[in-house]
């Protein structure tokens, strides 16, 4: 059931009467149970896209399907009652109690009163708000965080399959925001609702989303799992938007080259040795550099093998004996994980990094690879820079 | 002092007359007010949905307001003849502005996020009006009725000038006969009626304000749904 399509955008565009092209040719598929985050700078069309799902905005062209049915053919009122909706401003009705606010959609759906009340209590307990205390309070008596908790409960009240959230935690202070994000993630793990979540906060998107849809000027720029975006797959704009600071993610996905982008100094340079030039030239080259090893390349500068200085003397005739073809090698396109695996498998203190054309760039030591793991897995941990050697 | 003694004496001696005119006075004002309210509530709501007519309708109500009362009463004789009907028609026109404006402003000032939340949850237009807009605009709308009631009761004294009833009869009679006591017998009850109306509607306004808007706010001023009444005519 997990792969059943919940919402599909098929070539959807929206031009407002004033000529603003808010959304342009968006194609998007949202699976059942998926947590999709729409993100982008303000004015990128993310909120408009969201509001088109519950028909608060109708597309100028294109079609949106909800569970396989074209929503343009559905009564917007009836459609909206099946879709939870949370907005940044919370929008609790100040003249209604917390219980009445939560029960609005059940009431619109004409549930009987006992069922409404039972549902209200159940939901309040779910987020640790004692029903006896909060049921009869008014929104104004609650803190901003509590109000949005209720706002989320209200969206879940009639047990909709999908919930739309428009920057729901945007106006909360950072601590409360973090709490609500954690709580909501837990709720989501439990109920597996389909969530479409709009934010401009990349940290929030990476934390909550299964799938992140990056938008810019009305278009979808990139769609991917958080790890894919923070990894090598990001486009220039996305990378800029994420910010280098946030290059956290999965070492099994993040490419070595990506991680090295601002850390080229961490690559230790070894002298390049032209294999074709013979043993004597190699020996001189290594002696001049004072290096134990050289990176053996062919005429085109492509990787051949490691050259060990220890196996070379000025009188060595054949270079072949000094070549170590089993030396650990990775490409910049390989994930960080590959570098670690090579290091372990070959029991070597470093791994040779090759560029896309298989030209060696340098070697990456064990401690650098370890640091790469720490930085990607725990991007917020102290920036312990390995000292340049 | 003697004027007040004579006034009290007059009221005691002619209490049936004073009572009758008070009754007429109240009848004229309240009928005009009720008709005005019955007109303003739907029209005010309609205006919030048809913004482009606002300058026209509110402007017209404004113009009615600027016509001197006596002139308006005199003019309406051509339409309604002399008597209470004419007076009620004139008072109706006077009552429009505050009630129309407050109905319109009261609804317009309901936070648009609340309306969007309501719509997003699947409320129909009617449900948005009855479950969101009207409950929140109620105090402002009643404030408009309160202002209109005071104006109407005050202006109703002029009904006597065009052959209508009410406490104006005593005032005009007092003026004509240069009898301060008779004039006061009309003026004082009229003033008291106006005060009474003001207090009554003030009480209604308070009573009708949803409890959720009266409760003490959490912390300092966190809530974003603070009710605004600026722009509305306040009593």
């Amino acid at each position: 059931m997990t792969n059943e399509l919940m919402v599909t955008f098929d070539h959807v565009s929206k031009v407002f009467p004033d000529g603003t092209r808010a959304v342009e040719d968006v194609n998007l598929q949202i699976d059942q149970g998926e947590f999709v985050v729409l993100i982008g700078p303000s004015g990128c069309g993310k909120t408009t896209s969201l509001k088109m799902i519950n028909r608060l905005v109708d597309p100028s062209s294109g079609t949106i399907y909800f569970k396989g049915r074209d929503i343009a053919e559905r009564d917007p009122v009836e459609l909206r009652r099946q879709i939870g909706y949370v907005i940044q401003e919370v929008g609790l009705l100040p003249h209604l109690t917390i219980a009445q606010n939560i029960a609005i959609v059940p009431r619109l759906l004409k549930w009987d009163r006992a069922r409404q009340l039972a549902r209200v209590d159940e939901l309040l307990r779910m987020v640790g708000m004692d029903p006896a205390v909060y049921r009869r309070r008014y929104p104004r008596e609650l803190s901003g965080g509590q109000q949005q908790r209720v706002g989320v409960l209200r969206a879940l009240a009639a047990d909709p399959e999908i919930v739309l959230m428009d920057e729901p935690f945007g106006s909360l202070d950072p601590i409360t925001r973090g709490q609500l994000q954690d709580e909501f993630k837990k709720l989501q793990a439990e109920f597996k609702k389909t969530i479409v979540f709009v934010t401009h906060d990349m940290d929030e998107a990476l934390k909550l989303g299964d799938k992140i849809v990056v938008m810019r000027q009305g278009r979808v720029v990139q769609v991917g799992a958080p790890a894919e975006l923070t990894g090598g797959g990001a486009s220039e704009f996305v990378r800029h938007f994420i910010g280098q600071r946030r290059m956290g993610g999965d070492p099994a996905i993040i490419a070595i080259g990506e991680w090295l982008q601002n850390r080229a100094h961490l690559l230790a340079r070894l002298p390049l040795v032209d294999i074709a030039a013979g043993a004597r030239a190699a020996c001189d080259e290594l002696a001049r550099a004072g290096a134990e090893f050289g990176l053996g390349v062919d005429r085109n500068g492509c990787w051949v093998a490691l050259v060990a200085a220890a196996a070379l003397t000025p009188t060595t005739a054949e270079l072949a004996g000094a070549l170590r073809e089993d030396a650990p090698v990775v490409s910049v396109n390989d994930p960080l994980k590959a570098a670690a695996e090579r290091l372990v498998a070959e029991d070597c203190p470093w791994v040779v990094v090759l560029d896309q054309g298989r030209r060696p760039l340098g070697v990456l030591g064990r401690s650098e690879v370890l640091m790469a793991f720490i930085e990607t897995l725990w991007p917020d941990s102290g920036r312990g820079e390995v000292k340049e050697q | 002092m003697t004027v007040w003694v004579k006034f009290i004496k007059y009221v005691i001696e002619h209490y049936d007359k004073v009572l009758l005119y008070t009754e007429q006075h109240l009848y004229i004002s309240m009928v005009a007010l009720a008709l005005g309210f019955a007109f303003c509530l739907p029209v005010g709501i309609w205006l919030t949905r048809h913004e482009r007519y606002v300058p026209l309708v509110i402007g017209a109500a404004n113009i009615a307001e600027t016509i001197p009362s006596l002139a308006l009463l005199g003019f309406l004789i051509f339409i309604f003849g002399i008597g209470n009907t004419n007076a009620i028609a004139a008072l109706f026109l006077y009552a429009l502005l505050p009630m129309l404006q407050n109905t319109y402003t009261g609804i317009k000032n309901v936070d648009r996020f609340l309306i969007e939340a309501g719509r997003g949850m699947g409320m129909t237009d009617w449900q948005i009006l009855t479950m969101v807009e009207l409950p929140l605009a109620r105090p402002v709308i009643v404030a408009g009725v309160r202002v209109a009631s005071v104006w109407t009761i005050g202006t109703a004294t002029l009904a006597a000038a065009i052959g209508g009833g009410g406490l104006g009869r005593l005032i005009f009679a007092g003026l004509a006969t240069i009898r301060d006591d008779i004039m006061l017998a009309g003026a004082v009850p009229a003033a008291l009626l106006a005060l009474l109306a003001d207090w009554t509607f003030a009480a209604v306004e308070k009573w009708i304000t949803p409890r959720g808007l009266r409760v003490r706010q959490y912390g300092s001023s966190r809530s974003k749904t603070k009710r605004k009444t600026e722009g509305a005519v306040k009593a």
Side-chain angles (χ1 to χ4, degrees):
Chain A
M1 287 299 277
T2 26
N3 279 327
E4 195 183 315
L5 276 177
M6 187 59 87
V7 177
T8 309
F9 280 68
D10 184 19
H11 296 283
V12 174
S13 295
K14 175 67 188 179
V15 183
F16 282 108
D18 67 356
T20 314
R21 306 180 73 82
V23 172
E24 289 203 59
D25 196 33
V26 165
N27 292 289
L28 194 62
Q29 298 198 333
I30 297 168
D31 293 336
Q32 187 167 30
E34 201 169 26
F35 196 131
V36 177
V37 179
L38 306 181
I39 187 166
S42 55
C44 71
K46 54 192 191 295
T47 295
T48 306
S49 301
L50 183 85
K51 286 181 178 175
M52 285 197 282
I53 298 173
N54 65 356
R55 293 200 63 189
L56 285 175
V57 175
D58 281 327
S60 310
S61 63
T63 315
I64 298 170
Y65 299 94
F66 175 54
K67 296 210 286 183
R69 281 178 66 192
D70 180 356
I71 60 166
E73 289 163 10
R74 301 189 59 171
D75 172 24
V77 166
E78 175 258 344
L79 177 75
R80 289 171 195 146
R81 289 176 185 176
Q82 292 182 30
I83 299 179
Y85 188 48
V86 185
I87 57 176
Q88 181 177 0
E89 298 80 9
V90 188
L92 295 182
L93 299 182
H95 58 292
L96 300 183
T97 61
I98 298 309
Q100 287 169 329
N101 264 291
I102 293 174
I104 287 176
V105 181
R107 188 174 148 200
L108 295 175
L109 291 169
K110 301 193 165 59
W111 288 16
D112 64 67
R113 226 180 120 61
R115 190 176 165 207
Q116 285 181 29
L117 293 177
R119 181 66 177 157
V120 167
D121 287 4
E122 180 193 348
L123 287 163
L124 283 172
R125 275 193 212 102
M126 225 158 59
V127 295
M129 291 170 79
D130 182 1
V133 175
Y134 286 102
R135 225 172 359 215
R136 304 188 63 180
R137 293 254 171 107
Y138 286 94
R140 289 210 174 165
E141 296 173 290
L142 268 51
S143 69
Q146 296 283 55
Q147 287 189 24
Q148 193 55 294
R149 274 191 185 92
V150 175
V152 172
L153 296 184
R154 184 173 68 171
L156 295 171
D159 208 13
E161 287 175 82
I162 178 167
V163 180
L164 310 181
M165 307 180 86
D166 192 357
E167 305 208 23
F169 310 134
S171 59
L172 303 172
D173 64 84
I175 293 169
T176 312
R177 190 186 312 147
Q179 284 173 350
L180 263 75
Q181 286 168 349
D182 293 342
E183 273 180 33
F184 188 65
K185 211 176 167 178
K186 253 182 249 165
L187 284 181
Q188 162 64 3
E190 193 174 330
F191 294 104
K192 280 284 161 215
K193 302 279 179 203
T194 307
I195 310 286
V196 187
F197 190 105
V198 164
T199 183
H200 60 258
D201 176 356
M202 190 43 99
D203 291 347
E204 186 169 69
L206 296 172
K207 181 173 177 181
L208 296 175
D210 297 327
K211 178 152 101 188
I212 297 177
V213 179
V214 184
M215 293 187 72
R216 182 196 195 185
Q217 291 172 353
R219 292 179 182 275
V220 172
V221 183
Q222 191 159 15
V223 180
E228 285 167 347
L229 292 192
T230 53
S235 71
E236 193 60 42
F237 168 74
V238 173
R239 214 176 306 146
H240 177 75
F241 193 73
I242 293 170
Q244 288 297 331
R245 195 180 61 78
R246 287 298 319 180
M247 293 305 284
D250 189 346
I253 288 163
I254 292 181
I256 294 165
E258 184 69 27
W259 184 74
L260 279 171
Q261 229 174 27
N262 291 331
R263 302 175 180 85
H265 61 273
L266 296 177
L267 270 179
R269 311 274 169 197
L270 287 184
L272 292 180
V273 175
D274 187 352
I275 303 291
R280 182 62 189 270
C283 186
D284 291 348
E285 183 65 39
L286 290 176
R288 199 180 322 132
E292 282 179 55
F293 291 98
L295 304 171
V297 293
D298 62 18
R299 289 248 177 245
N300 300 318
C302 290
W303 172 253
V304 177
L306 199 67
V307 182
L312 283 174
T313 64
T315 56
T316 309
E318 283 295 324
L319 187 58
L323 296 182
R324 302 278 180 272
E325 286 174 349
D326 56 356
V329 172
V330 290
S331 154
V332 283
N333 290 333
D334 289 334
L336 285 166
K337 188 173 162 231
E341 283 169 344
R342 261 351 97 70
L343 282 176
V344 172
E346 311 296 337
D347 191 28
C348 187
W350 36 254
V351 57
V352 179
V353 181
L354 307 181
D355 71 9
Q356 277 137 331
R358 288 195 64 77
R359 285 177 290 268
L361 295 170
V363 299
L364 210 49
R366 272 182 176 153
S367 59
E368 280 80 9
V369 171
L370 191 58
M371 187 175 80
F373 267 69
I374 292 170
E375 284 191 3
T376 49
L377 287 171
W378 302 283
D380 292 323
S381 63
R383 326 244 118 256
E385 288 275 8
V386 171
K387 289 204 177 64
E388 211 170 335
Q389 310 247 309
Chain B
M1 267 330 267
T2 47
V3 176
W4 293 102
V5 175
K6 277 200 270 176
F7 152 67
I8 289 161
K9 224 175 117 191
Y10 183 87
V11 172
I12 291 166
E13 277 168 14
H14 302 275
Y15 73 95
D16 51 338
K17 218 188 218 171
V18 175
L19 227 53
L20 175 71
Y21 289 146
T22 305
E23 213 180 288
Q24 287 177 350
H25 199 101
L26 209 57
Y27 168 79
I28 295 167
S29 334
M30 289 304 123
V31 168
L33 194 71
L35 289 175
F37 184 70
F39 175 82
C40 289
L41 190 68
V43 172
I45 292 167
W46 182 82
L47 281 179
T48 61
R49 269 88 177 142
H50 300 85
E51 295 278 347
R52 63 205 162 109
Y53 296 104
V54 172
L56 185 79
V57 177
I58 301 271
N62 247 315
I63 288 169
E65 209 69 39
T66 58
I67 302 171
S69 346
L70 265 174
L72 184 63
L73 285 163
F75 175 74
L76 287 176
I77 292 175
F78 296 113
I79 303 168
F80 296 106
I82 55 168
N84 283 345
T85 314
N86 182 335
I88 288 169
L91 294 178
F92 166 82
L93 290 176
Y94 277 120
L96 292 184
L97 184 68
M99 292 198 282
L100 207 52
Q101 195 160 339
N102 275 33
T103 305
Y104 173 77
T105 321
I107 292 174
K108 284 309 282 183
N109 276 346
V110 172
D111 217 317
R112 67 180 183 86
F113 303 124
L114 298 178
I115 292 162
E116 193 188 305
R119 179 158 290 126
M121 284 186 287
M123 288 187 183
T124 60
D125 287 344
W126 177 254
Q127 284 165 336
I128 288 171
L129 179 70
T130 55
M131 292 172 75
V132 184
E133 292 177 305
L134 284 180
L136 293 170
R138 232 152 47 187
V140 185
I141 294 171
V142 173
V145 176
R146 183 176 162 196
V147 176
S149 73
V150 176
W151 289 4
T152 309
I153 289 168
T155 316
T157 47
L158 293 177
I162 49 149
L167 291 162
R169 284 277 178 93
L170 291 173
I171 296 172
F172 282 111
L175 282 170
T177 56
I178 322 176
R179 285 272 302 274
D180 288 352
D181 54 338
I182 299 179
M183 206 186 71
L184 283 173
V188 171
L192 286 177
L193 274 184
L195 279 176
L196 188 71
D198 190 43
W199 291 334
T200 308
F201 283 111
V204 172
E205 199 182 317
K206 200 172 166 190
W207 171 73
I208 213 167
T209 302
R211 220 178 85 79
L213 298 181
R214 285 181 274 151
V215 293
R216 212 164 56 83
Q217 215 147 308
Y218 176 88
S220 49
S221 56
R222 279 206 69 104
S223 171
K224 296 199 151 197
T225 50
K226 217 175 132 198
R227 192 168 49 91
K228 286 163 271 171
T229 47
E230 303 99 72
V233 180
K234 286 187 89 180

